[in-house]
Amino acid sequence: ERGPAAAQAIVAQVQRLDPCNEEATRLALKIDHQTGDRGSLHRHYELLSKRLREDYDAAPSRETQELFQRLSGNTTAATSPLARPPDPPPRVEPASAGPPGDAPGRGLARRALVASLAALAAVALLIFGWWSLRPQSANPDQPPLIAVLPFEQQPAGDAFLAEGLWEDTRLALSQTQTLRVLGRATTLEMAKAGRSPKAYRDRLGVDYVLEGVVRRQGDRVRVTTSLTRTRDGIGIWHSAFAGRLGDPLALQAAVAKGIEGRLRGQLARGGGKVPEQIATTPEVYELYSKSRSLLRTRSPRAAQEAIQLLERALQLDRNFAPAWSMLGSANHFGRFSPGASPEWRARARADVHRALELAPRLAEAHAVLALIDGLGSPVAVRSLERAVALDPGNSDAWNWLGIARAQQGDTDGATQAYQKSIEIDPFLAPALSNLAGALLDRQDHQGFERLLRRISRADGGATLVTALRAHRWFREGDYSRAMKPLLKLASRSGELDSFVVWKIEEGLLRLGLVDQARALSGRPEQFVAELRGERLRGEFEGGRIPSPREYWVTVEIATVSSRAMLNLGRGRMLVDSYRQGFESRQDFLTTLNTYGEPVIVIPGLAIALQSSGQALEAEALLKAIENDAEARVERHPGDADAVWQLARIRAAQGRENDAIDLLSRALDHGWLPDGRFYPLDIADDPPVRGLRGDPRFERLRRRALAHIARERAELGPVRI
């Protein structure tokens, strides 16, 4: 009646109470399939398999295995270590007629007795096996039991305040589904006797003891709390809350809710590593689930809708850590240049840190923190490695880890991370595209074909295979071969996958069909004029003017607009934007390395600086990106994009012969301008514009234009 999100919230509660409940997991798999959440589908199956193996040395039932195979398209699930098929039944020998001389009735009786004894033995073995493999916690089928000791007032005299905070804290904790609170009278009696934490466990089965001290100075109040594990007496958490006494009841409620929120994530079953382990109301979880579905589209418009849903969820439950984490993610995908504004980063980081305060082991919060800090930052790899260690089933985190490793120059590690991502979610288009690009960069065409065969074997993979094959043909300059099957997909009724739309738009721009590209993507009218350099781009879609920092980290704006500025003789505007947006050259380089594309945008800025009489600054910026560009070409000599980017740097440095040699090498490896970051007529690209008139350059220029014209003729007219 209320939809799959509400159903999933109920199933999650069942799984928290009984993690090995296969019927609940099968329901979760069906809901994941219905909502298209392939990553969650794989994660639910892997969590069940792991729990069954650890607790009972067993595998999921054949029914669960077959359901997972059917919904995921994973034909190897039944033979994986996590889901091995049950052992075959023992071979039964034909019954004999009994010893010679036995009467038929006596033989039947003997066999009946043997069967009965065997059955009793089997029952005994089952009972023994269950007893030896049962969970060993004090209360295996219930949430942890916590004793909230009466709060101590310092200095004495305001006992009402400590008592009120104690009562409100007990009430807040008792209302959460992840904890049980020891009764008031029993707690008071135990506290009067000054029992040790171990005594609480031995006598009452208490798992944790919470203590608090209330200190007041004037109208300022500070409450410090600590949590002790009764099993070994170790203090596992402590925190402090401060406020003013203006409204004692409001202060009490705020402190109590703060304690409840932090303990909810700390003591969640499974460690609170994934959102499903952290309890909240069905209404809040439904809002969270809707937001997660919206963010999978990576659309700024959908992200804005997700932000509104998450803000509603947090109004209902300020202590639901996953909603804080996803709010940071929604802001990231809802902005055109999320890394450009220090103020925005501070707000977004505060939201994610709030999530980590509530649930320190929440994997998605560690992953989102890497997004906010920028996947090109040195800390991103550490955050993402922490995320995938906590939740190995998070396909997005594995994909982002691949990007972060690639930006640090670890190409092998990046490839491994992409592969892990698609093992979890075989149809995750960004990871597939990244892996395909990494394989093609290494000229591993066999690996690329294996990837396509793997996708083809799964139901629904044909569209992705078409888009990924186009990825290869674009790189090799065979545009007509890439575009024909893509345009065939576009001609069918129904909504196209966003990944396919991006690929079709890429092909149209490579062929110079800018009007058709705009018709396909629905971009604003100024899109065509901007790409042709007929006007400057001064605003984001929606009319907002970007700040200088936003301008430089939004690579499409920085490349298209700066090219137009230089070609229209307004290079000084470009220099002013650079000077106004950054405190220093190092600030500029750090920001672009973290959030932007320095190797693409700096050569154009260098030309503007040179034309403004600032040649030393231009030289320093080009030197800063030169080493990385050279290292990439050395690692992957067949990477035509890398060779072209180094050619642009050499041209901007005035090293014409090196630039022409590199340009020739790039074209030999199949490189052609993409029509977006680089104009189809490479003579219009400011860094190489100085090569005009050189016969060698002109031959290469005509060669590229002739190739594009030939591909356009082979494709024929295109209507969108």
Side-chain angles (χ1 to χ4, degrees), residues 398-710:
W398 280 109
N399 180 44
W400 298 337
L401 177 58
I403 297 171
R405 285 175 172 171
Q407 294 196 20
Q408 298 297 319
D410 181 6
T411 53
D412 290 338
T415 301
Q416 292 169 7
Y418 298 143
Q419 289 171 334
K420 185 64 178 178
S421 178
I422 63 172
E423 284 175 12
I424 298 165
D425 190 352
F427 289 163
L428 185 61
L432 288 168
S433 181
N434 291 335
L435 178 57
L439 294 171
L440 293 174
D441 285 344
R442 298 160 64 173
Q443 295 185 305
D444 184 0
H445 297 298
Q446 290 183 347
F448 179 80
E449 290 300 326
R450 283 196 300 271
L451 174 65
L452 297 190
R453 287 195 296 272
R454 178 178 175 179
I455 302 169
S456 298
R457 286 195 294 267
D459 292 339
T463 299
L464 278 174
V465 169
T466 299
L468 290 172
R469 282 203 184 280
H471 195 74
R472 176 179 179 179
W473 303 137
F474 285 152
R475 282 176 171 244
E476 296 183 4
D478 199 345
Y479 295 168
S480 59
R481 185 175 184 181
M483 288 297 291
K484 287 175 182 176
L486 286 174
L487 292 172
K488 189 175 181 180
L489 287 175
S491 66
R492 299 174 183 172
S493 59
E495 187 175 351
L496 281 175
D497 182 89
S498 59
F499 182 59
V500 177
V501 172
W502 294 336
K503 281 298 165 190
I504 298 175
E505 183 186 56
E506 178 185 350
L508 293 171
L509 293 178
R510 284 178 176 274
L511 290 163
L513 303 173
V514 184
D515 292 303
Q516 291 89 331
R518 176 183 171 270
L520 173 76
S521 61
R523 290 176 181 264
E525 291 183 6
Q526 65 182 30
F527 176 69
V528 175
E530 288 163 357
L531 282 183
R532 291 174 176 163
E534 297 169 357
R535 60 169 291 181
L536 303 181
R537 182 170 189 173
E539 59 188 32
F540 288 133
E541 292 179 17
R544 189 171 68 82
I545 303 298
S547 69
R549 296 179 76 95
E550 289 177 316
Y551 174 93
W552 285 105
V553 300
T554 310
V555 62
E556 185 173 297
I557 290 182
T559 52
V560 173
S561 182
S562 64
R563 183 167 69 238
M565 283 185 189
L566 289 165
N567 289 339
L568 294 172
R570 301 183 187 179
R572 187 70 200 183
M573 291 175 59
L574 205 59
V575 174
D576 290 343
S577 175
Y578 163 60
R579 295 296 188 188
Q580 293 167 9
F582 302 91
E583 297 177 359
S584 64
R585 181 195 314 140
Q586 190 56 50
D587 180 26
F588 176 72
L589 291 170
T590 300
T591 302
L592 259 67
N593 280 320
T594 302
Y595 300 103
E597 295 283 353
V599 74
I600 297 178
V601 302
I602 283 179
L605 173 60
I607 297 299
L609 287 165
Q610 290 167 0
S611 65
S612 301
Q614 301 179 51
L616 291 178
E617 184 72 6
E619 181 182 349
L621 287 172
L622 291 169
K623 189 68 178 176
I625 60 173
E626 179 184 37
N627 291 338
D628 286 343
E630 288 175 339
R632 184 179 170 190
V633 170
E634 186 176 347
R635 284 196 305 269
H636 304 297
D639 185 346
D641 280 334
V643 176
W644 156 251
Q645 287 165 359
L646 184 57
R648 294 178 81 232
I649 294 172
R650 292 287 181 258
Q653 291 173 327
R655 297 167 60 175
E656 291 88 352
N657 290 334
D658 291 343
I660 290 173
D661 288 344
L662 286 165
L663 176 56
S664 176
R665 179 175 159 189
L667 290 172
D668 289 343
H669 282 91
W671 181 86
L672 287 165
D674 63 2
R676 173 182 279 140
F677 300 137
Y678 311 114
L680 295 187
D681 185 348
I682 55 177
D684 290 334
D685 188 35
V688 300
R689 188 171 54 192
L691 301 176
R692 283 181 176 178
D694 187 307
R696 298 169 298 168
F697 173 74
E698 294 298 337
R699 283 195 296 272
L700 295 172
R701 172 191 184 188
R702 289 194 296 271
R703 173 180 165 187
L705 288 171
H707 185 107
I708 294 168
R710 193 162 54 247

Side-chain angles (χ1 to χ4, degrees), residues 23-208:
E23 183 178 4
T25 298
R26 287 195 292 272
L27 282 170
L29 296 178
K30 292 176 182 177
I31 296 168
D32 293 336
H33 181 69
Q34 180 182 349
T35 58
D37 190 347
R38 300 185 61 85
S40 185
L41 186 147
H42 282 258
R43 185 164 58 247
H44 276 127
Y45 183 80
E46 289 180 0
L47 288 173
L48 172 70
S49 302
K50 180 180 178 183
R51 192 62 181 260
L52 287 171
R53 184 179 69 251
E54 291 177 349
D55 288 357
Y56 303 106
D57 194 27
S61 67
R62 175 63 63 181
E63 180 181 357
T64 304
Q65 291 181 37
E66 290 176 351
L67 177 67
F68 174 71
Q69 293 170 35
R70 186 171 73 253
L71 298 183
S72 69
N74 184 357
T75 58
T76 63
T79 58
S80 70
L82 292 177
R84 59 183 183 275
D87 294 331
R91 184 167 179 263
V92 180
E93 297 293 336
S96 66
D102 269 9
R106 186 175 300 171
L108 289 172
R110 187 190 304 277
R111 288 194 293 276
L113 176 61
V114 170
S116 299
L117 289 172
L120 287 171
V123 171
L125 285 171
L126 284 172
I127 293 172
F128 175 79
W130 169 81
W131 181 256
S132 64
L133 293 171
R134 74 195 190 286
Q136 299 298 311
S137 66
N139 297 288
D141 297 323
Q142 299 183 30
L145 178 61
I146 185 170
V148 184
L149 304 191
F151 287 3
E152 178 185 353
Q153 180 74 50
Q154 293 182 358
D158 285 337
F160 76 91
L161 183 57
E163 184 173 347
L165 284 166
W166 175 57
E167 288 285 10
D168 281 1
T169 300
R170 291 188 70 259
L171 177 62
L173 292 173
S174 67
Q175 290 176 341
T176 181
Q177 303 170 19
T178 55
L179 294 171
R180 293 176 301 134
V181 178
L182 188 65
R184 188 180 192 278
T186 304
T187 302
L188 286 171
E189 286 300 317
M190 293 287 287
K192 286 178 185 177
R195 303 291 184 184
S196 67
K198 187 174 184 300
Y200 280 85
R201 182 177 182 86
D202 294 342
R203 296 190 177 203
L204 302 168
V206 171
D207 298 289
Y208 301 93

Side-chain angles (χ1 to χ4, degrees), residues 226-349:
S226 61
L227 186 72
T228 302
R229 189 168 54 207
T230 60
R231 183 176 73 240
D232 48 21
I234 292 177
I236 63 171
W237 174 80
H238 63 87
S239 190
F241 304 86
R244 294 187 178 275
L245 198 57
D247 183 350
L249 295 179
L251 175 63
Q252 291 172 194
V255 171
K257 286 185 178 297
I259 295 172
E260 180 275 328
R262 297 192 184 189
L263 290 189
R264 191 197 312 179
Q266 292 276 352
L267 303 183
R269 285 181 179 269
K273 297 175 182 178
V274 296
E276 292 81 1
Q277 294 172 343
I278 301 175
T280 188
T281 65
E283 183 178 1
V284 170
Y285 193 79
E286 183 176 6
L287 291 167
Y288 169 82
S289 296
K290 287 180 179 177
S291 302
R292 183 162 56 181
S293 297
L294 287 166
L295 286 180
R296 288 196 190 97
T297 67
R298 300 295 190 260
S299 159
R301 184 176 300 174
Q304 293 298 326
E305 186 179 348
I307 289 171
Q308 296 176 4
L309 294 175
L310 290 165
E311 288 174 345
R312 283 171 51 196
L314 289 169
Q315 288 175 358
L316 297 171
D317 184 356
R318 300 290 293 176
N319 291 327
F320 186 50
W324 285 107
S325 173
M326 189 159 287
L327 186 59
S329 180
N331 274 298
H332 176 85
F333 291 114
R335 296 175 64 91
F336 289 94
S337 51
S341 167
E343 295 79 15
W344 174 85
R345 288 202 307 276
R347 289 196 303 270
R349 193 180 287 112

